[in-house]
Amino acid sequence: MPIPPLSPDPYILILTGFGALTALVVWLPLVLRKLPLSLPVVCVGLGAAIFSLPQVTLQPLPYLYPEITERFSEFVVIIALMGAGLKIDRVFDWRRWRVTWRLLAITMPLGILAITAIVGWGLGMPWAIALLLAASLAPTDPVLAADIQVGPPKTGEEDEVRFGLTSEAGLNDGFAFPFVHLAIALAAVATTGEPWFGEWLSYRVLWEIGAGVGGGWLIGRMFGWLTFHVSAESKLAQTGDGLIALAATCISYGLTEIIHCYGFLAVFVTALTFRSTHRDHDFHHDMHDVTEQIERLAMMVLLLLFGGAIVSGLFAAVGWTDVVVAIAILLVVRPLTGLIGLTGLRADWSEKLTLAFFGIRGVGSIYYLAYGLNHMEVAGAERLWGLVGMVVLLSVVLHGLTVTPIMRSLDRMQGRDPDRDDPIAGEHAA
């Protein structure tokens, strides 16, 4: 019987690669815990290395696969939103959430206005396109910000910085959507001339936000009742199966999108409401663990593809002015608007600076640009993808290299031990 040649089936290669990726999902966070290096940085580097191999012919450029880009990034974001909502310990209260309202009501609109001006005047792009880019790049990303978010449920890792960035990332993805729709409406009115403001304000702002919040609350209450408050024999918490969080995510997003409201907003509100129905139950840990694992795996796949897009020519249409604009968005616009929004907040300057600096851009920006380009006619989409990709790459590198030392230093300044929950340190101590 002849020996088969060493040319494995592509399916076997994919299966092996998936196993290696899953192992990295589990192992890398432990290795990188104390290093000035983040998981996203490693993933982008691995993706660039893999897609640089001559045997790999796929070019994962987002503008070649617009629908896949939109849907996959959408899935990653909603999983991250559920995980973010489940792990917030702080009870919802207008006063206790004041840092969140400042970042949403002041920092994000100012950021959208500033980026629109920079792109419109500095790069000479049409104002509708400038607004689309601004709405895509203004929100803080819930996916790539795991290292600066609150800890798992009931761990007590919820200082003002971690809470502020987690709650901001959970809500501003939903609240950025009206600005995306405004850009789409402005692009349409340039060709049709039809009135747009009334429909945009009543439907895209008032209805979609209101119904998203209301629908998310109702679904969260329903899942909370089924999980914790029905009879002991049939309540879902008895199963110990955290996959119910995935069910809540998909149902919340699906049902609210069916009635045409903001599913991102609904998923986060569902998670907060679900958590509030029995705040101290240990089952929240099970649900959080499942969402975190799914999110991390999906995020790593997306970032591997992003690294592949970079070496496949994502930045081919990007000029030096685009690079300067990308740097300004991260190092000028977000910190400055962040500090303006936090003016008057009772917090240390170190906390305000950290909140203002860590405006991480990532998967949410990819989704919004893909959504916008799939709903409006745009010439030169390659340049838009290159600019957003440049901002995301710079954010991944800049924030990824600084998050560990900055957050550890902030913990020490506030009298917390940054190694108190480190399993590696615990092993050495034992």
Side-chain angles (χ1 to χ4, degrees), residues 14 16 91 151:
I14 292 173
T16 306
V91 176

Side-chain angles (χ1 to χ4, degrees), residues 68-337:
I68 295 175
T69 301
E70 179 185 339
R71 293 308 180 188
F72 185 39
S73 57
E74 177 182 46
F75 174 76
V76 179
V77 171
I78 63 174
I79 293 297
L81 290 172
M82 176 59 68
L86 286 175
K87 62 187 176 184
I88 291 180
D89 290 333
R90 189 174 302 192
V91 176
F92 182 84
D93 178 89
W94 289 103
R95 184 181 60 82
R96 293 180 182 178
W97 284 54
R98 59 187 179 276
V99 62
T100 312
W101 311 136
R102 287 171 172 269
L103 293 170
L104 286 176
I106 303 174
T107 295
M108 190 178 74
L110 285 178
I112 291 175
L113 184 63
I115 297 171
T116 302
I118 291 173
V119 173
W121 282 318
L123 299 182
M125 292 189 182
W127 290 109
I129 305 302
L131 179 58
L132 173 63
L133 282 170
S136 302
L137 292 170
T140 300
D141 189 64
V143 181
L144 304 186
D147 291 331
I148 54 172
Q149 291 187 356
V150 298
K154 299 170 59 179
T155 58
E157 296 181 25
E158 197 159 294
D159 56 82
E160 200 69 9
V161 171
R162 289 182 172 88
F163 168 76
L165 292 170
T166 305
S167 56
E168 179 200 11
L171 287 169
N172 67 6
D173 269 320
F175 282 107
F177 233 132
F179 297 98
V180 175
H181 282 297
L182 179 58
I184 296 171
L186 292 176
V189 77
T191 56
T192 64
E194 296 180 358
W196 57 272
F197 182 76
E199 186 269 346
W200 174 77
L201 180 62
S202 60
Y203 179 54
R204 299 299 185 183
V205 178
L206 299 178
W207 163 255
E208 295 210 35
I209 289 178
V213 172
W217 182 84
L218 287 172
I219 295 168
R221 295 290 295 180
M222 178 191 73
F223 270 96
W225 179 77
L226 290 173
T227 304
F228 302 116
H229 299 296
V230 297
S231 60
E233 294 79 16
S234 57
K235 63 184 179 183
L236 292 172
Q238 290 292 103
T239 66
D241 194 340
L243 272 174
I244 194 62
L246 179 61
T249 303
C250 296
I251 290 174
S252 176
Y253 192 74
L255 289 180
T256 51
E257 285 290 321
I258 286 173
I259 63 171
H260 301 290
C261 59
Y262 295 133
F264 283 177
L265 199 55
V267 169
F268 187 68
V269 173
T270 292
L272 292 176
T273 308
F274 198 171
R275 177 71 196 279
S276 69
T277 55
H278 197 322
R279 187 168 298 279
D280 297 322
H281 201 287
D282 290 337
F283 188 57
H284 291 296
H285 282 282
D286 300 322
M287 293 191 292
H288 170 263
D289 290 344
V290 168
T291 57
E292 184 179 45
Q293 289 165 354
I294 296 173
E295 173 195 343
R296 210 158 56 198
L297 187 59
M299 178 266 292
M300 288 185 72
V301 172
L302 190 145
L303 290 180
L304 288 174
L305 294 172
F306 178 62
I310 291 173
V311 298
S312 299
L314 181 63
F315 300 144
V318 173
W320 283 110
T321 52
D322 302 300
V323 176
V324 172
V325 166
I327 294 172
I329 289 171
L330 289 177
L331 296 183
V332 179
V333 174
R334 165 63 190 203
L336 185 58
T337 57

